[in-house]
Structures are given as structure tokens and as C-alpha cells.
Amino acid sequence: MYDKGAGAVVVQQKRGKLLTVLTQQELRARDVMDRMEYKGLHYIFRLALLALAYAVTAKIILNCFAANHVVSIIWPPSGIALAALMLGGNKYWPGIFVGAVAGNMLGGAGAPLFVNLGIGIGNSLEALTAFWLLTHYRQTSIDWDYPRDYLNL
């Protein structure tokens, strides 16, 4: 960070690379926009889209590839969940949970609600654990800057 009088200029760096030069006002405005995106309509729309994609994919897999509409040998919704977390961060876990519960309810097994809630919790924790292991243990960059970030998957 270097100062140019009253309109202080902030230089954001990432791994030694110069990204942008912002004034303090621009930096505060960007911070407010980030918080609004997390709570705003845009965020709710993304959660609903994630839940819908997860639920529809789960329904298709449970109806086509699962024995007795319960257990499948392949589970693409896990990939959808991990991709959403890697691209958007862990703030998208509610969409995974809602999608998992809805997908299991639509899957046709006829399980009670508490079983579907348990499966939803398990699926959400599965994706969050994979996200945490990739970002903390393997130090995978969410920005996909280096080839090792792709190889860690």
C-alpha cells in the first residue's frame, strides 16, 4: 500500500502479482458490494439454481442408475456440489443441502423426511470436506492459476 495524499491508493497483490490499484473509497464500495452479493437476490438466485441442478441430477441418477432408487454407483451431484464450492466458496452449502433433500425426496424411494434430512446433511458435509481438503490441505487455488490446481482434483 502506498499513500498519495488524501485519496490514498491501495495496491492489491496476489502471490506477488499486481492486480489492481484502488482508492480507499473504491475499496470500501467493493467491500459493501461483496456483502450485498452474499445477502442479495443474486445470491438467492444462485442458491436456487444450484439446488435445482443438484435435485434434478439426483432424481435422474436415482431413477436410472440406482438399485431400488436408493443407492447409485455413480453420483454426479457430488461433482456439481464441489464445483459450486470451488467457484463460489463455502457460502453455497445451503443450496447443496436443499438440493440433496429435494433430490432424495423426488428420487422415488419413499423415505421419511428425517432420513432425507440426514442424507442432505451427509451430502453437504461431503462437499464441504472435499472443499476444505482441497483448499487447505492441498493448497489448491480457487482462482485456478497454476496447473497443480487442476491436478489436485
Side-chain angles (χ1 to χ4, degrees), residues 62-63 68-70 103-116 119:
L62 287 174
N63 286 336
N68 298 328
H69 303 287
V70 178
N104 284 305
M105 291 176 80
L106 296 173
L113 180 62
F114 71 90
V115 172
N116 291 327
I119 291 171

Side-chain angles (χ1 to χ4, degrees), residues 46-77:
R46 286 184 176 187
L47 278 182
L49 192 62
L50 172 60
L52 180 68
Y54 194 103
V56 168
T57 307
K59 179 178 173 34
I60 291 169
I61 294 300
L62 287 174
N63 286 336
C64 296
F65 298 105
N68 298 328
H69 303 287
V70 178
V71 179
S72 174
I73 196 165
I74 61 169
W75 195 246

Side-chain angles (χ1 to χ4, degrees), residues 10 15 18 26-27 32 56 61-62 75 80 83 90 92 95 97 100 107 112 114 116 119 125 128 130 137 141 143 147:
V10 177
R15 295 184 185 169
L18 180 66
E26 291 172 331
L27 194 61
V32 168
V56 168
I61 294 300
L62 287 174
W75 195 246
I80 293 171
N90 61 2
Y92 288 109
F97 176 74
F114 71 90
N116 291 327
I119 291 171
L125 289 176
L128 286 169
Y137 179 69
S141 171
D143 297 327

